Amino acid sequence: MLGVKIKLAKNSSVPISGQLARQLSESIIRGDLRPGAKLPSHRQLARILGVSRSVVVKAYRELEYDELVDSISGSGTYVSAARESDENKFDAVAWTSKLRNLESHSVRKQGYGQFSESLSSKKLIRFDSAAPRAPDLPAGLMERILQGFSDAEFADIMNYSHPRGLKQLLKILAVRIRQSGQRLSTVNFMITNGAQQAIHMLFSALSSPEDRVVIEEPTYYHVINLAKIMKLRVSAIRRTREGINTAELEEILKRSEVKFIYTMSCSHNPTGFNMPEHRKEVLVRLAENYRVPLIDDTVFSELQYERTHPTTLRFFDREGCVIEIGSISKTFAPGLRVGWIVAPRSLIERLSILVKLSIICVPGINQLIAARFLSTGAYDEHRDQLIRKCSQKRKLMEQACNKHLPTFIKYSAPDGGYFFWLEFPEGFDTDQICSISEKKGVVVAPGRLSFFGEDEKRNIRLSFASAELDQIEPGVIAFSESVKSYVKESHGILKNPDYSII
């Protein structure tokens, strides 16, 4: 009836439904199951394979999600036919031109992962991810937290919560941050749908198109895209190991009205450096003197390897100019989307209006999970365990880089976070190196994404976050071979004897 051979291994680590979905998917892609072909009903296929009906239901649902089959009520499940794209079929509205701000060349696309589909049969080594491996996330603990909620708690969070956030979560965040010596209460906090929404909300509230803002570079690439979409006039100041250049910043503040300054004081993305404590104080005093809001993005700050809990800029704030962004995405659960803003009460109250207008509130279930996790020692225990794992990966990557990378590449092990920031000599095109590396099965992030200028192609970011321990040295070796291949092919570079590394 099905026309293809299905083999299911009941003792496999892959669920039966996943095995079935994968084998049917491969049959459709190969053409063994032709477009329009009708698949057996759930009950029929369950009887043929000797499995429960729920297994077939889950497998068919996965195929639907991948748009490989169509389920038609009252008729059955069919292999999807090739369809004309919506862009060609419905052209009454020229959507591309309507959305020109999003499609413009000025908005930076990620630019890596472009060969992933062609390499889907290979096991890619991902040195581009800013999220920890799934096995490093506390799924079992999450399940226990959910099972521990009472009916009353579930009933409460099914309704709208306050735009500023769930009271339990606001309280525990205030308690935790007061432990660092800062005098704050729940009125200084607002929960957001991850740090990304916090950044967007602050940029929108503090500035308008054509306003002058200061953003360090390199920086988080979504900040660059957001600034471009919002048409902000960005004064980009280079970030070094010492942090943002305060002398250059003061010159800008003297001659221009600046709406805000954006920086990462700890575990900077992408360089991995912490600002020295004395430099943090200088930066805060400068912002206070010129009455400019100072946004400190601290999402990676808890991931530290040489010291614990470095002070953020708020520690030095005397006049309420520092706004802090936090999140548990990098330590607990990226998909939970729980972040927060710490700021003066007057700003928080005004920001809550934006929440009402956009999302009404952050989902209560997400906040309740975060509150329960943070209110026990479970979060700190998990975070410390994650740091130990990442510290081991960091050490392995540093050793591999020391052993295998060409000596003309500059890098340092990060103080915190997940990234090694590589700097290449003048004249190198790291976009090409990234492409060669991906063809060899190692995906890395081009540093160009972290700069406002289009011609910044001397850096690459390597992340150890989602790599397995036994992938790190082979991945660095393959990446190093990609660099050597690039040097061989770039005859102009070979004229410099310093780059003759083969």
Side-chain angles (χ1 to χ4, degrees):
M1 176 181 288
L2 188 60
V4 296
K5 190 175 291 185
I6 300 292
K7 291 184 179 180
L8 302 176
K10 294 187 177 180
N11 57 354
S12 170
S13 59
V14 179
I16 297 293
S17 61
Q19 295 179 50
L20 177 57
R22 187 184 68 245
Q23 292 180 48
L24 289 173
S25 171
E26 290 172 352
S27 297
I28 293 170
I29 292 170
R30 281 197 308 265
D32 298 340
L33 292 172
R34 305 294 296 173
K38 184 176 182 179
L39 300 183
S41 69
H42 299 152
R43 286 189 176 83
Q44 287 174 325
L45 189 54
R47 188 172 61 253
I48 293 169
L49 299 176
V51 297
S52 68
R53 180 174 174 271
S54 65
V55 167
V56 181
V57 171
K58 287 180 181 179
Y60 279 13
R61 191 174 296 143
E62 281 192 48
L63 295 175
E64 274 193 86
Y65 291 156
D66 291 336
E67 299 183 351
L68 293 173
V69 302
D70 293 311
S71 181
I72 301 173
S73 181
S75 177
T77 302
Y78 298 83
V79 176
S80 296
R83 297 171 181 168
E84 184 180 11
S85 71
D86 286 349
E87 188 70 25
N88 296 328
K89 190 173 181 181
F90 304 106
D91 57 0
V93 177
W95 292 110
T96 300
S97 63
K98 296 288 184 186
L99 302 174
R100 59 184 178 275
N101 282 351
L102 298 180
E103 295 295 326
S104 166
H105 68 277
S106 66
V107 177
R108 202 72 53 84
K109 295 184 174 70
Q110 274 189 225
Y112 54 92
Q114 58 186 323
F115 298 101
S116 297
E117 287 187 19
S118 62
L119 292 173
S120 59
S121 61
K122 298 182 179 180
K123 188 175 183 181
L124 289 171
I125 296 177
R126 304 302 302 239
F127 284 165
D128 62 322
S129 175
R133 296 168 59 245
D136 293 335
L137 300 176
L141 180 57
M142 175 83 82
E143 183 179 5
R144 291 194 295 276
I145 288 174
L146 287 168
Q147 291 174 342
F149 290 147
S150 65
D151 290 345
E153 285 175 313
F154 274 122
D156 188 42
I157 60 174
M158 288 174 70
N159 214 325
Y160 295 123
S161 64
H162 193 281
R164 285 201 301 109
L166 209 62
K167 188 178 294 184
Q168 301 97 305
L169 182 54
L170 294 172
K171 281 183 177 180
I172 189 60
L173 287 174
V175 168
R176 290 179 70 88
I177 206 165
R178 281 202 296 265
Q179 292 170 356
S180 68
Q182 300 181 49
R183 292 180 173 272
L184 295 168
S185 69
T186 57
V187 298
N188 298 116
F189 288 82
M190 186 174 73
I191 308 304
T192 60
N193 205 336
Q196 187 70 40
Q197 189 201 23
I199 295 170
H200 191 184
M201 192 178 299
L202 288 169
F203 279 29
S204 300
L206 298 174
S207 63
S208 300
E210 304 305 323
D211 279 345
R212 173 73 59 189
V213 302
V214 171
I215 300 176
E216 65 188 2
E217 67 171 358
T219 190
Y220 174 41
Y221 73 90
H222 277 318
V223 164
I224 294 174
N225 284 342
L226 181 58
K228 288 177 178 291
I229 289 171
M230 291 182 63
K231 298 184 182 299
L232 299 177
R233 298 170 64 196
V234 177
S235 292
I237 298 181
R238 283 301 173 102
R239 164 84 181 225
T240 67
R241 189 160 199 144
E242 294 291 299
I244 192 170
N245 186 322
T246 51
E248 185 179 347
L249 172 60
E250 185 162 22
E251 287 301 312
I252 294 171
L253 295 176
K254 283 178 180 177
R255 65 176 185 263
S256 304
E257 180 187 359
V258 172
K259 294 297 183 178
F260 65 78
I261 304 162
Y262 173 88
T263 186
M264 288 186 183
S265 63
C266 305
S267 307
H268 178 255
N269 177 9
T271 67
F273 298 141
N274 294 330
M275 284 181 68
E277 300 298 285
H278 70 280
R279 297 284 294 180
K280 293 175 185 175
E281 186 168 12
V282 169
L283 177 58
V284 174
R285 296 288 87 81
L286 195 57
E288 288 176 345
N289 290 341
Y290 287 89
R291 300 291 190 266
V292 179
L294 178 55
I295 301 172
D296 187 13
D297 188 342
T298 69
V299 294
F300 287 101
S301 63
E302 288 194 289
L303 292 165
Q304 294 290 318
Y305 304 113
E306 301 298 336
R307 58 175 298 178
T308 57
H309 307 304
T311 54
T312 60
L313 297 182
R314 275 201 61 83
F315 183 82
F316 302 98
D317 187 19
R318 298 182 301 206
E319 300 185 22
C321 74
V322 175
I323 306 166
E324 186 169 294
I325 295 172
S327 171
I328 56 174
S329 292
K330 304 305 179 186
T331 50
F332 174 39
L336 201 62
R337 308 310 304 139
V338 172
W340 54 85
I341 295 172
V342 190
R345 179 176 184 172
S346 56
L347 175 59
I348 292 294
E349 288 174 349
R350 284 161 177 77
L351 290 174
S352 66
I353 298 172
L354 292 180
V355 175
K356 290 179 185 178
L357 292 173
S358 56
I359 62 170
I360 301 179
C361 64
V362 175
I365 183 68
N366 300 25
Q367 296 187 67
L368 192 59
I369 291 169
R372 186 65 55 86
F373 194 45
L374 287 166
S375 63
T376 68
Y379 172 77
D380 299 286
E381 184 180 337
H382 162 71
R383 181 203 58 212
D384 293 344
Q385 183 179 14
L386 179 64
I387 289 173
R388 286 193 293 272
K389 290 179 180 178
C390 288
S391 184
Q392 188 178 2
K393 292 181 183 181
R394 169 181 175 263
K395 183 177 180 180
L396 287 174
M397 183 165 276
E398 183 178 23
Q399 290 173 342
C401 288
N402 291 342
K403 184 176 179 181
H404 301 291
L405 288 188
T407 56
F408 57 74
I409 302 175
K410 297 178 182 178
Y411 58 89
S412 295
D415 299 324
Y418 295 133
F419 314 121
F420 277 69
W421 183 243
L422 277 51
E423 181 181 339
F424 289 74
E426 189 72 43
F428 274 67
D429 185 343
T430 53
D431 279 2
Q432 292 186 34
I433 294 173
C434 291
S435 294
I436 296 170
S437 179
E438 190 164 340
K439 289 173 183 175
K440 291 180 180 289
V442 179
V443 187
V444 298
R448 167 182 54 82
L449 302 177
S450 297
F451 291 93
F452 285 90
E454 295 289 336
D455 57 348
E456 296 286 350
K457 296 185 178 181
R458 291 180 55 190
N459 297 94
I460 285 177
R461 194 189 75 180
L462 300 186
S463 171
F464 49 80
S466 63
E468 298 175 14
L469 286 172
D470 60 1
Q471 289 181 319
I472 290 178
E473 185 169 21
V476 171
I477 291 172
F479 172 72
S480 180
E481 291 301 320
S482 303
V483 175
K484 295 174 183 178
S485 296
Y486 168 78
V487 172
K488 277 184 179 179
E489 295 167 6
S490 303
H491 302 294
I493 288 178
L494 273 177
K495 291 178 182 177
N496 187 329
D498 292 339
Y499 309 150
S500 299
I501 51 168
I502 310 306

